[in-house]
Amino acid sequence: MSAPQQNGHSPIDAVELRRAFGTFVTGVTVVTTWDGEGAPRGMTANSFTSVSLDPPLLLVCIGRHAASFPAFSTSTAFAVNLLHEAQTDVSSLFASKSPDKFGAISHDTVHTGAPVLTDCMTWFDCTVHDRVEAGDHMVLIGRVQAFGTSASAPLGFCRGRYAAVKDPLPAGWSPSHSMVVGYLIEHDGRILLRADGHGGWGLPTARRRRAEHAVDLDDVGALPLLSDSTFLYAVFDVGDSDPGYIIYRGRLEDAAPAAALPPDLRFFAPEDLPFEAIPVREIRSMLRRYLRERSSDRFGIYIDSSDGGRVAMIDGDARPWQASDA
């Protein structure tokens, strides 16, 4: 302990203070957002905590000297990704000055459009609730719009090094609280994909499907789908990671404004689908199944399992459901 000065204040040694703060065991997060040019930005941080359940708030502290500070100081949304014990390499990557941190990291969008790491332990997708200036850091307070978690063991950090945490999931806890809802949409013989911001492609996502067969794509608005072609198509996890995927298939109505979509959404002819640029293996496999099934106009519903999954084929034309069918 430092001796008090004559004015009653103790001299603070910044190095020793940092070491003292470091004795508090924390998890490790990667905080992500988009910069003003549409590029994904992210950094490793362990100054994270929950703030409130009603409204659902959390906070993370962003250092002013961080390369991605300008992006976090102006963005309207961000995600906090809690890493699991096998992700020390991800922690080191996002703590580095690498110019391409997202190149080999699978990520997706869920609600706000902020990049969510698909292989993390827990994620929180947030809109910015407030920013508070605090010394050499900015306290970024987020309102949680969506989240998901898994049974993975967390990556811990203490005294300047990684730490192991045992028994991460007590009995009775749910291993997952959310799924990514994606859409396999066809129009005029072409399939709709969405750019992920770093050269890759994936399916467009949405929070929900309307009962009248319109889908609210993230940041796009409602697109009308043909009612007789809109069905559940696949349910699967990505390895053992969270979030999982629920995929619907559908066809855009002929009168829908396909040409007015934003530039990150693009229709591809089947022979031009960029399989090599789709980072999620399960999405690639699902698209190949869809191409096979569309050739005979006979589609199935897939659910994963330990031995490779099950497909149930849908036979016959769609018909309206009546209460008498119950």
Side-chain angles (χ1 to χ4, degrees), residues 237 239-240 302-310:
D237 288 323
D240 293 324
Y302 170 88
I303 187 167
D304 62 356
S305 63
S306 59
D307 60 353
R310 296 285 186 271

Side-chain angles (χ1 to χ4, degrees), residues 212-228:
E212 62 270 23
H213 304 288
V215 57
D216 286 315
L217 293 186
D218 295 339
D219 304 324
V220 175
L223 290 179
L225 302 178
L226 295 172
S227 59
D228 288 348

Side-chain angles (χ1 to χ4, degrees), residues 252-269:
L252 210 60
E253 288 186 353
D254 290 340
L261 294 175
D264 64 332
L265 284 169
R266 176 180 167 189
F267 281 96
F268 288 86

Side-chain angles (χ1 to χ4, degrees), residues 16-169:
E16 291 300 323
L17 181 62
R18 183 183 182 90
R19 289 175 179 170
F21 284 153
T23 61
F24 183 67
V25 182
T26 70
V28 181
T29 79
V30 169
V31 192
T32 54
T33 190
W34 300 93
D35 64 19
E37 298 178 352
R41 302 300 299 267
M43 57 173 285
T44 301
N46 66 344
S47 53
F48 159 81
T49 189
S50 61
V51 174
S52 169
L53 294 178
D54 186 15
L57 302 177
L58 55 77
L59 69 79
V60 64
C61 297
I62 309 294
R64 292 187 172 277
H65 299 298
S68 54
F69 178 82
F72 286 105
S73 65
T74 58
S75 64
T76 59
F78 66 97
V80 180
N81 306 271
L82 278 59
L83 302 186
H84 58 68
E85 61 181 354
Q87 291 185 301
T88 56
D89 57 336
V90 177
S91 172
S92 298
L93 173 63
F94 280 89
S96 72
K97 298 184 182 298
S98 170
D100 187 19
K101 296 179 180 180
F102 289 85
I105 301 297
S106 177
H107 61 281
D108 208 333
T109 58
V110 180
H111 175 66
T112 70
V116 172
L117 306 189
T118 57
D119 188 31
C120 63
M121 180 185 70
T122 299
W123 54 268
F124 302 94
D125 193 9
C126 306
T127 51
V128 173
H129 179 78
D130 199 3
R131 293 182 176 89
V132 179
E133 305 299 328
D136 58 2
H137 279 67
M138 174 183 68
V139 181
L140 186 60
I141 301 175
R143 185 179 183 118
V144 178
Q145 302 294 339
F147 69 98
T149 188
S150 71
S152 303
L155 179 61
F157 196 77
C158 182
R159 300 184 190 274
R161 56 187 178 182
Y162 298 115
V165 179
K166 303 297 183 183
D167 299 326
L169 194 68

Side-chain angles (χ1 to χ4, degrees), residues 196-272:
D196 63 12
H198 66 286
W201 293 88
L203 294 181
T205 58
R207 289 192 68 196
R208 67 185 181 95
R209 182 183 61 82
R210 295 184 184 180
E212 62 270 23
H213 304 288
V215 57
D216 286 315
L217 293 186
D218 295 339
D219 304 324
V220 175
L223 290 179
L225 302 178
L226 295 172
S227 59
D228 288 348
S229 70
T230 306
F231 283 96
L232 178 68
Y233 192 62
V235 181
F236 57 88
D237 288 323
V238 177
D240 293 324
S241 65
D242 189 67
Y245 283 80
I246 298 176
I247 305 296
Y248 291 91
R249 64 175 174 87
R251 292 179 180 173
L252 210 60
E253 288 186 353
D254 290 340
L261 294 175
D264 64 332
L265 284 169
R266 176 180 167 189
F267 281 96
F268 288 86
E271 63 272 16
D272 295 328

Side-chain angles (χ1 to χ4, degrees), residues 108 182-184 192-194 201-205 247 283 286-287:
D108 208 333
Y183 275 82
L184 206 168
L192 185 64
L193 296 182
R194 187 167 204 164
W201 293 88
L203 294 181
T205 58
I247 305 296
I283 297 293
M286 183 193 61
L287 281 170

